[in-house]
Amino acid sequence: MLSEEPRRRRWWVHPIVSQRLQKGQFHTLYFDLRQNPEKFQGYCRMSVATFDILLASLRSGLTFQDTTMRRSISPEERLLLTLRFLATENSFASLHYEYLLGNSAISGIVCHTCQLIWQRLREAVMPTPTADDWLRIADGFYQSSQFPNCIGALDGKHISVKKPPHSGSQYLNFKQYFSIVLLALVDSNYRFIIVDIGAYGSTADARIFCSSRMGERLRANQLALPEPRRLPGSSASAAPFVIVADEGFALSPHVMQTFPRRDLDDRKRIFNYRLSRARRYVECAFGILSNKWRVFLSSLQLSPQNATLVIQACVILHNFTRIHDAPSEPEVAPFPTTTSVGLDHNPQGRPGSAGLAVRELFADYFISREGALSWQLNSIRGTRR
C-alpha cells in the first residue's frame, strides 16, 4: 500500500493571523483598558493593580525567548488571554478570531498559564493551615454565623465537562451530565482552605472526601487542629473543632451534619438551622466562583487533565482577588426561614457514637441561655418578627 504524502500547508502563517500585532485584541485594547480601571475590572475580573501583582509573580514563567523565525508572545498577552478565557464562556475558536492566535497556541498558553498559577501561588493564597489559622477561621465563623468551634464548611461542586473518550459512565453524575468534582473546605470569608479536584462525577461526595488527602489527614489527626475547647459561655465539656457539611457526608467527631428530617423537635430543628447558617458559606463561595469565572457556566470542552488545571487556577484566582481586591460581589443573601433549603438527602448509614455525642453537645448548647439566638425559634417556625 502506497503511503500518502503529508499534507502541505497552504501558509506558514495565515494572512489573518499575521496581522496580530496590528489588529489582535491585545494590541488594540490592552493599553486602553489600563486607562479605564472599571472596564479593565470587567474584562479581567480584577483591578489593574491586582493584575500587575499577579503578572509580577508569573512573569519569569511566562517569558520565552525570541527566535529568528518569530517573536515570542509577551507575558502580558499570555496572562490577559488566559484571564479572558476564564472570565467568559468563549471557546478557543472564538479567542482565535479575537487575539489572532492559532487554536493550538491558545490551548497551550491557557493550560501552561493555569498550571503556573497553581504552582506559583498556591502556597501564598491557600497555605496549609496551622493551629493558629484554624482558631482564626473558627473565630470568623462564630462572628458571622454564631456557630462556635467551626473550622470550615464542606461541600462538592460538579464541574461540567465533555465526555472523555472510552470513559463509559465514570464521569456521569446523578444529575445526568458528565462532570468532575471540586470538593472544597471554605472559611467565613468565602476563601478556599483546602480543595480536592478531579474526582469522577459518578463518585459520591462522601466517598471523595474519605479518599482525599484532607479526609485521610483528618482521620489520622494530622490537620494540626487545636485542642477541644468549651463553647462560649458554657460550663459543659469541651467540644472538638468541627467541619459543617450536609447529609451527604458521614457524621463523625470532626464532621457535623444535620439531624434527619423525620421526628424533628424544636431542639433538632434549631441545630439544623444553625448548622445550615454556617454551611451556606461554601455554597456562596461556589456561586461567587462561577459568577466571576464564567468559564464554569458552560461545559468545559477540555480533557479531564486540562479541565483540572483550569479549576485549580480559578480556585487560586478566587482567593487571590479576594485578598487583593475589595469584594465587589454581593455577600450572603438573607437566610431563608426554613431548615429544608440546601439539604442533600443521601445519608451515609449509621453514624458512630462519638459523632452523635458531639452533635448532641452542640444541639444542647444552641438551646441554652448562653448559645441561643433571639430569632432562631421564629426562623424554624417560619414566622416573622
Side-chain angles (χ1 to χ4, degrees):
M1 182 177 179
L2 297 176
S3 60
E4 297 182 0
E5 293 185 4
R7 182 181 176 182
R8 300 182 65 181
R9 298 178 62 167
R10 295 176 62 187
W11 297 286
W12 172 248
V13 178
H14 194 281
I16 293 179
V17 175
S18 66
Q19 302 178 69
R20 178 174 67 90
L21 299 180
Q22 294 77 38
K23 298 182 179 180
Q25 194 168 103
F26 173 79
H27 297 278
T28 59
L29 196 59
Y30 174 65
F31 296 102
D32 289 336
L33 284 174
R34 290 186 65 92
Q35 302 304 315
N36 295 271
E38 184 178 346
K39 296 294 185 182
F40 191 96
Q41 177 90 34
Y43 190 89
C44 295
R45 299 296 193 267
M46 62 181 64
S47 66
V48 176
T50 301
F51 177 88
D52 290 339
I53 295 171
L54 179 62
L55 180 62
S57 301
L58 305 178
R59 181 177 291 277
S60 61
L62 297 177
T63 302
F64 293 85
Q65 188 175 2
D66 293 339
T67 68
T68 56
M69 302 297 293
R70 64 183 68 181
R71 291 172 54 188
S72 65
I73 301 170
S74 68
E76 291 83 355
E77 186 169 2
R78 289 172 177 271
L79 181 55
L80 194 75
L81 169 64
T82 301
L83 293 178
R84 192 58 182 165
F85 171 74
L86 299 179
T88 65
E89 299 178 70
N90 287 1
S91 63
F92 291 157
S94 175
L95 292 171
H96 159 69
Y97 292 104
E98 295 176 7
Y99 283 80
L100 302 183
L101 289 165
N103 287 348
S104 60
I106 291 173
S107 174
I109 289 170
V110 168
C111 292
H112 172 258
T113 307
C114 287
Q115 185 177 32
L116 195 65
I117 289 171
W118 175 259
Q119 293 173 345
R120 294 282 181 92
L121 299 177
R122 179 178 54 179
E123 288 301 322
V125 304
M126 198 171 61
T128 302
T130 64
D132 289 339
D133 293 329
W134 291 125
L135 289 172
R136 175 184 52 78
I137 292 168
D139 290 343
F141 270 103
Y142 184 63
Q143 293 296 324
S144 60
S145 64
Q146 293 77 52
F147 197 107
N149 286 22
C150 176
I151 57 170
L154 177 70
D155 203 0
K157 176 178 175 61
H158 287 269
I159 307 296
S160 178
V161 298
K162 71 174 182 179
K163 181 182 182 296
H166 315 297
S167 62
S169 60
Q170 283 181 322
Y171 292 89
L172 185 65
N173 63 32
F174 68 99
K175 295 182 179 179
Q176 300 303 305
Y177 64 86
F178 297 96
S179 65
I180 59 178
V181 179
L182 163 61
L183 185 74
L185 186 69
V186 173
D187 68 14
S188 61
N189 292 316
Y190 314 105
R191 296 179 192 169
F192 295 104
I193 307 169
I194 304 174
V195 296
D196 183 272
I197 302 169
Y200 297 137
S202 61
T203 309
D205 288 349
R207 183 172 297 178
I208 297 171
F209 177 66
C210 287
S211 60
S212 69
R213 187 163 178 258
M214 171 173 45
E216 292 173 351
R217 293 182 65 193
L218 181 63
R219 290 193 301 275
N221 198 26
Q222 295 177 349
L223 280 182
L225 297 184
E227 291 297 319
R229 68 180 181 185
R230 285 194 174 93
L231 301 178
S234 172
S235 59
S237 303
F241 287 82
V242 298
I243 293 168
V244 293
D246 61 26
E247 292 181 359
F249 294 88
L251 181 69
S252 73
H254 291 293
V255 180
M256 291 290 99
Q257 58 160 243
T258 54
F259 284 101
R261 284 192 182 184
R262 60 184 180 277
D263 301 325
L264 287 177
D265 55 20
D266 281 352
R267 173 176 168 275
K268 293 179 179 179
R269 289 180 183 276
I270 287 171
F271 175 85
N272 287 1
Y273 169 72
R274 297 286 290 271
L275 184 141
S276 298
R277 292 184 77 246
R279 197 182 68 81
R280 63 180 169 162
Y281 284 93
V282 66
E283 301 288 353
C284 290
F286 287 149
I288 294 170
L289 178 74
S290 298
N291 187 56
K292 180 182 283 286
W293 307 110
R294 303 178 75 85
V295 67
F296 296 129
L297 297 185
S298 58
S299 181
L300 296 179
Q301 301 301 302
L302 302 168
S303 67
Q305 294 76 21
N306 289 340
T308 297
L309 293 177
V310 166
I311 299 168
Q312 288 175 338
C314 288
V315 165
I316 295 302
L317 291 172
H318 171 92
N319 281 10
F320 188 83
T321 54
R322 292 198 70 81
I323 292 171
H324 293 283
D325 285 338
S328 57
E329 307 88 352
E331 299 296 332
V332 180
F335 192 74
T337 57
T338 174
T339 59
S340 64
V341 175
L343 299 183
D344 183 347
H345 300 288
N346 184 26
Q348 295 297 311
R350 190 178 298 277
S353 58
L356 289 170
V358 173
R359 185 167 65 181
E360 293 294 329
L361 179 63
F362 277 94
D364 289 338
Y365 175 75
F366 290 149
I367 61 171
S368 69
R369 183 181 62 183
E370 297 82 9
L373 299 178
S374 59
W375 65 85
Q376 61 189 23
L377 273 176
N378 289 333
S379 295
I380 65 168
R381 293 172 180 173
T383 58
R384 296 182 181 274
R385 296 182 65 180

